[in-house]
């Protein structure tokens, strides 16, 4: 939840600075467009996801009365058939001459290192001013002892379901990959950073997991 809040705060901030395109890779059941229409309606929001799950989501949104406003663009992409998400964006009206904020959460661990590097290069080739926020899993041996059992269980479950975690990155490795891809600025946003930002004054002691899934923030 802290990572989602950070990303939505980032989108709101960039929208305030005039950015007009927001791309969600692997959007799934993301509800930003429905929960934050006061921000989303100032943008062109592009949700990229496989055709089947996306069709189901669109049907449910229609059934619930949300529909599809003109600023929300569904971009069906069959990743297993190696379809290009960039080609899908172009067909959906994405303007390559304008900067965008591109977000990918909960995806990198299912992709090879080479595929993650390719995504970084593709986003880094977008218009100047574009930003990329993505989550990545730390190697399990870097996780805090109280977090490691849950991560190991998640890893076993993913493997059993046929979608194993295949990529883990140390923060400095992830930052270097972003710079090598062509980003002018890249930084690691840790769980400690999120704790300081969102949980510092909570009286109940609630904190996000330490050293688990972390964030990369990179700018073109």
């Amino acid at each position: 939840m802290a990572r989602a809040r950070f990303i939505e705060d980032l989108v709101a901030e960039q929208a305030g600075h005039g950015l007009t395109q927001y791309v969600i890779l692997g959007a799934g059941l993301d509800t930003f467009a429905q929960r934050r229409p006061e921000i989303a309606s100032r943008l062109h929001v592009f949700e990229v996801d496989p055709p089947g799950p996306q069709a189901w989501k669109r049907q449910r949104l229609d059934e619930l009365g949300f529909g599809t406003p003109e600023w929300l663009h569904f971009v069906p992409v069959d990743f297993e058939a190696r379809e290009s998400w960039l080609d899908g964006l172009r067909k959906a009206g994405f303007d390559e001459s304008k900067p965008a904020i591109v977000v990918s959460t909960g995806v990198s661990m299912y992709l090879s290192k080479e595929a993650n590097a390719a995504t970084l290069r593709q986003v880094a080739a977008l218009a100047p001013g574009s930003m990329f926020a993505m989550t990545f899993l730390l190697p399990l041996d870097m996780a805090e002892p109280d977090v490691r059992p849950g991560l190991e269980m998640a890893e076993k479950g993913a493997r059993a379901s046929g979608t194993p975690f295949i990529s883990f990155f140390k923060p400095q490795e992830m930052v270097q990959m972003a710079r090598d891809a062509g980003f002018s600025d890249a930084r690691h946003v840790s769980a400690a950073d999120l704790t300081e930002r969102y949980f510092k004054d909570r009286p109940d002691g609630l904190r996000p997991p330490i050293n688990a899934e972390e964030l990369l923030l990179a700018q073109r």
Side-chain angles (χ1 to χ4, degrees):
M1 294 300 291
R3 292 185 296 273
R5 172 65 185 276
F6 176 86
I7 287 171
E8 292 193 6
D9 284 352
L10 179 66
V11 172
E13 177 186 37
Q14 293 303 308
H17 293 160
L19 184 140
T20 59
Q21 299 186 113
Y22 175 31
V23 179
I24 310 172
L25 299 179
L29 298 180
D30 187 278
T31 57
F32 172 77
Q34 291 75 43
R35 290 182 295 101
R36 305 294 300 275
E38 75 283 1
I39 300 171
S41 61
R42 294 153 53 194
L43 305 166
H44 284 284
V45 180
F46 298 87
E47 294 196 8
V48 181
D49 220 31
Q54 191 169 86
W56 181 87
K57 179 180 181 179
R58 295 189 69 171
Q59 178 182 338
R60 288 297 294 145
L61 288 174
D62 287 341
E63 292 170 351
L64 294 170
F66 287 103
T68 305
E70 62 180 2
W71 43 263
L72 177 58
H73 310 273
F74 289 102
V75 185
V77 175
D78 188 343
F79 296 102
E80 292 184 358
R82 298 184 181 276
E83 290 183 355
S84 166
W85 59 269
L86 273 175
D87 287 345
L89 284 179
R90 295 183 186 108
K91 293 175 183 176
F94 182 78
D95 188 343
E96 293 181 84
S97 70
K98 296 180 179 179
I101 180 166
V102 182
V103 168
S104 174
T105 60
V107 175
S108 66
M109 63 285 296
Y110 299 106
L111 304 177
S112 67
K113 181 176 180 178
E114 293 73 20
N116 278 297
T119 299
L120 285 164
R121 289 193 298 270
Q122 288 172 315
V123 180
L126 297 178
S130 293
M131 301 183 74
F132 187 38
M134 66 173 285
T135 60
F136 61 95
L137 276 182
L138 296 175
L140 293 181
D141 59 8
M142 290 184 66
E144 293 293 321
D146 59 335
V147 174
R148 193 174 303 165
L151 289 175
E152 291 174 345
M153 185 177 298
E155 192 276 333
K156 290 178 181 177
R159 192 181 334 120
S161 68
T163 54
F165 297 163
I166 58 177
S167 289
F168 302 84
F169 299 97
K170 295 179 180 179
Q172 61 269 32
E173 178 185 12
M174 193 79 260
V175 169
Q176 189 59 53
M177 283 177 62
R179 290 174 176 159
D180 290 345
F183 286 100
S184 59
D185 182 59
R187 66 184 176 95
H188 166 224
V189 181
S190 69
D193 295 327
L194 297 179
T195 297
E196 177 67 19
R197 182 165 181 167
Y198 297 116
F199 295 85
K200 182 178 179 180
D201 298 319
R202 287 188 66 103
D204 57 8
L206 181 66
R207 298 290 186 272
I210 301 298
N211 290 356
E213 191 175 5
E214 307 276 279
L215 269 166
L216 168 77
L217 182 61
Q219 185 159 12
R220 172 80 163 80

